[in-house]
Amino acid sequence: QVQLVESGGGSVQAGGSLRLSCAAYGYTYAGRCMGWFRQAPGKEREGVAFIYVGSGSTYYADSVKGRFTISQDNAKDQVYLQMNSLKSEDTAMYYCAARYDNNCNRWGDSPSFAYWGQGTQVTVSS
């Protein structure tokens, strides 16, 4: 049974930084796409940043390019999201998600992800 456990959310002022972590447990083979979605109250869930575990290929939403960086630590089976220059519009619940796959194509398609973390709140005050 695959489990994803997130940590690192919190409250920060605009312009600040936060780092989210997602620890993965129970994978039976390595090929998978992992990343982060977010959902603000009254808005649809949107893909933020993704990484193909192994190759390290990364994918970002336009709204976070240049500010957020996704990375992996294969030894610890963890994925990280470094968020810099945070804006009030980044306020949302952030969810780690993963799926077994050969690539991260269609990374913004949330129904294609079979495994989800419990979510961690990020609040940015202006």
Side-chain angles (χ1 to χ4, degrees), residues 8-74:
S11 297
V12 66
Q13 289 191 329
S17 299
L18 284 173
R19 188 194 195 206
L20 306 183
S21 299
C22 176
Y25 303 93
Y27 280 107
T28 55
Y29 52 89
R32 59 188 181 270
C33 180
M34 287 186 67
W36 298 87
F37 286 86
R38 67 185 181 186
Q39 188 166 19
K43 295 188 176 181
E44 291 187 356
R45 187 169 295 189
E46 63 171 342
V48 176
F50 296 84
I51 189 165
Y52 189 71
V53 176
S55 72
S57 297
T58 58
Y59 309 83
Y60 296 94
D62 288 343
S63 59
V64 306
K65 280 180 182 176
R67 301 188 297 123
F68 291 11
T69 303
I70 190 169
S71 61
Q72 61 183 353
D73 183 335
N74 288 340

Side-chain angles (χ1 to χ4, degrees), residues 8 10 14 16 32 39 60 86 88-89 95 97 100 102 104 108 118-119 122:
R32 59 188 181 270
Q39 188 166 19
Y60 296 94
L86 282 161
S88 57
E89 51 262 46
Y95 298 90
Y100 289 118
N102 295 320
C104 272
Q118 77 282 3
V122 171

